[in-house]
Amino acid sequence: MRKLTILGATGSIGASTFKVIEQNPNQFSVVALAAGTNVAKMRELCVKWQPKYAVMASDEAAKRLKLQLAELKLTTEVLAGVDAMCQVSSMDDVDTVMAAIVGAAGLLPTMAAVKAGKRVLLANKEALVMSGQLFIDAVNKYGAELMPVDSEHNAIFQCLPSDIQTNLGRCDLEQHGISHILLTGSGGPFRYSDIETLSSVTPEQAIAHPNWSMGPKISVDSATMMNKGLEYIEAKWLFNTSREQLKVLIHPQSVIHSMVQYRDGSVLAQMGEPDMATPIALTLSYPERVAAGVAPLDFTKVGELTFLDPDYQRYPCLKLAIDACYEGQHATTALNAANEIAVAAFLKNGLSFTDIAQVNQAVLDKVCRQTSQSHCSDLESILELDRMARELAEKWISERKL
């Protein structure tokens, strides 16, 4: 039985993880849950799963949860803060950690799980976007088992030889006959909209993803295709790709989740319903497969599958991310931080949809003029760069210039 800590328990990835656990109650045990400030949802989860520990991001949220659990006479120990999240990610009682806290907040507890040699189910993009080389080096040093959760990376993982699956970050694609990795994305809700109309897009329109059920931030990132840009950066680190080996392809139906092209002309694709329970089930049970609670794909109802090259005029954030990937870790860290601030402002109607890319571009240019890859030698310097980039993004939003 695998013993789990779920970081980001109250989010959409957390919900899909519980869906898989419910399908396989004798194979998985919930030891600890961690989340932000959603006390009501965490209380529900504690009642249902009765974990040994529950961690909230803030002292105030933890205090409220503790009072409510006491009234219910639950014995779950309530903790607060990043240090507590690191604690429940690295303790001996746990062998598997679902790393699904959105944003830079998830970086330290995810790294704590790696350094404790856990199986890390990686749904937190920032671990690789912000600290790719450090993270991969730590996985290798501490003998952690890295499992990609994102549907695209999980699809690529499934299409690769087992020798690569067990050597992520340090594999040699060419040696295994692989010519290209094809990273697919839906293109979001505005893939056919006139580019001139994008400046008037509302938050409500942007979060209405046509295929996937996701949180507001990641839905906006999907609409700008920044999400695909971040996934591109992740794929570069996970599969040790060169720029020539990694390509983005728009696939509106989200039936093929990604593909691997071999030098003999073969292309292996992983297909399925757009449900995160499928990749989560594989990461939990690998190398076995368990029920995910997802219906198999009915090919008689799939219809037409279409593919498009990405239009960088429509998706400037995607181009920024691809370029930043080869500029260095300082660039990807800054871009990720700026984007978090910009998307948050957009969701509060403080920024237009097209201004998101402008904020990201301005911050990236400023950071790349002032710093270099050498500024990202450890987690502390990476987090400091992240803080600086956030301040620059907030300054641009308030003043519309840097």
Side-chain angles (χ1 to χ4, degrees):
M1 177 175 285
R2 288 207 162 266
K3 299 175 182 178
L4 308 178
T5 284
I6 302 175
L7 303 173
T10 59
S12 60
I13 295 295
S16 294
T17 304
F18 291 122
K19 176 180 176 180
V20 175
I21 296 171
E22 285 177 321
Q23 296 288 316
N24 307 275
N26 296 322
Q27 297 195 44
F28 307 108
S29 171
V30 177
V31 177
L33 303 177
T37 57
N38 190 338
V39 173
K41 182 63 177 177
M42 182 63 97
R43 183 186 67 245
E44 291 178 17
L45 294 174
C46 287
V47 169
K48 182 169 184 177
W49 297 100
Q50 300 194 17
K52 189 173 181 180
Y53 300 98
V55 186
M56 304 303 293
S58 70
D59 290 333
E60 190 273 334
K63 183 178 179 180
R64 285 194 289 130
L65 178 65
K66 189 172 185 177
L67 289 172
Q68 292 179 26
L69 295 188
E71 290 176 359
L72 296 169
K73 294 183 169 53
L74 293 181
T75 59
T76 297
E77 183 176 347
V78 179
L79 304 171
V82 173
D83 287 347
M85 292 182 185
C86 292
Q87 176 188 330
V88 299
S89 298
S90 57
M91 60 188 179
D92 292 341
D93 291 357
V94 166
D95 54 44
T96 303
V97 176
M98 169 57 77
I101 294 177
V102 175
L107 178 58
L108 290 175
T110 303
M111 187 65 87
V114 168
K115 290 183 176 180
K118 308 299 184 186
R119 172 177 286 195
V120 179
L121 316 184
L122 190 63
N124 169 280
K125 297 183 186 305
E126 287 69 26
L128 290 170
V129 171
M130 292 175 63
S131 62
Q133 190 65 63
L134 289 173
F135 191 85
I136 292 299
D137 288 346
V139 168
N140 184 60
K141 178 178 179 180
Y142 295 101
E145 190 178 8
L146 188 57
M147 294 277 135
V149 169
D150 269 352
S151 60
E152 294 82 1
H153 303 110
N154 190 272
I156 294 163
F157 177 88
Q158 294 191 50
C159 295
L160 292 171
S162 59
D163 285 354
I164 292 182
Q165 291 176 342
T166 54
N167 192 34
L168 293 184
R170 298 186 176 277
C171 49
D172 187 331
L173 298 181
E174 188 173 352
Q175 181 182 346
H176 287 83
I178 296 164
S179 56
H180 296 100
I181 285 176
L182 306 176
L183 186 67
T184 63
S186 71
F190 311 124
R191 55 183 171 253
Y192 302 124
S193 302
D194 289 337
I195 293 177
E196 292 74 19
T197 67
L198 295 181
S199 60
S200 60
V201 162
T202 66
E204 292 74 22
Q205 292 172 321
I207 65 176
H209 194 281
N211 301 340
W212 296 92
S213 175
M214 305 181 294
K217 195 269 182 183
I218 194 172
S219 295
V220 174
D221 282 349
S222 180
T224 64
M225 282 200 80
M226 175 57 85
N227 193 49
K228 201 55 50 183
L230 299 177
E231 288 174 3
Y232 182 101
I233 297 165
E234 286 185 277
K236 185 259 187 186
W237 289 111
L238 282 169
F239 309 116
N240 196 27
T241 68
S242 67
R243 189 164 190 157
E244 294 71 29
Q245 290 172 322
L246 186 55
K247 296 181 178 181
V248 175
L249 195 62
I250 293 178
H251 170 47
Q253 293 81 17
S254 296
V255 171
I256 294 176
H257 299 310
S258 275
M259 297 175 274
V260 175
Q261 188 173 31
Y262 288 80
R263 73 162 66 101
D264 63 4
S266 298
V267 180
L268 301 188
Q270 189 270 336
M271 307 171 72
E273 295 288 347
D275 190 318
M276 286 305 298
T278 296
I280 289 169
L282 180 68
T283 61
L284 282 169
S285 63
Y286 180 86
E288 307 300 326
R289 289 184 184 264
V290 297
V294 180
L297 197 63
D298 184 344
F299 283 93
T300 66
K301 297 179 181 177
V302 166
E304 186 179 59
L305 300 181
T306 55
F307 303 92
L308 306 163
D309 282 326
D311 176 359
Y312 294 127
Q313 282 190 304
R314 181 181 302 277
Y315 304 115
C317 285
L318 174 60
K319 181 66 161 59
L320 285 174
I322 292 173
D323 289 344
C325 184
Y326 300 99
E327 181 74 26
Q329 205 73 75
H330 62 303
T332 57
T333 297
L335 179 62
N336 176 72
N339 185 66
E340 283 193 25
I341 297 299
V343 171
F346 167 70
L347 287 169
K348 294 177 182 176
N349 293 300
L351 200 67
S352 76
F353 183 76
T354 49
D355 276 345
I356 294 172
Q358 292 193 41
V359 174
N360 292 340
Q361 177 78 70
V363 172
L364 190 59
D365 289 347
K366 182 91 168 180
V367 167
C368 287
R369 286 197 303 269
Q370 294 181 346
T371 65
S372 68
Q373 177 66 29
S374 62
H375 285 78
C376 296
S377 57
D378 52 45
L379 280 183
E380 290 73 20
S381 57
I382 288 171
L383 290 171
E384 174 58 23
L385 179 58
D386 174 86
R387 183 198 60 76
M388 182 183 79
R390 289 170 191 275
E391 288 183 355
L392 288 171
E394 289 168 348
K395 184 174 186 289
W396 191 97
I397 291 167
S398 65
E399 301 176 7
R400 294 298 192 269
K401 63 180 181 180
L402 283 179

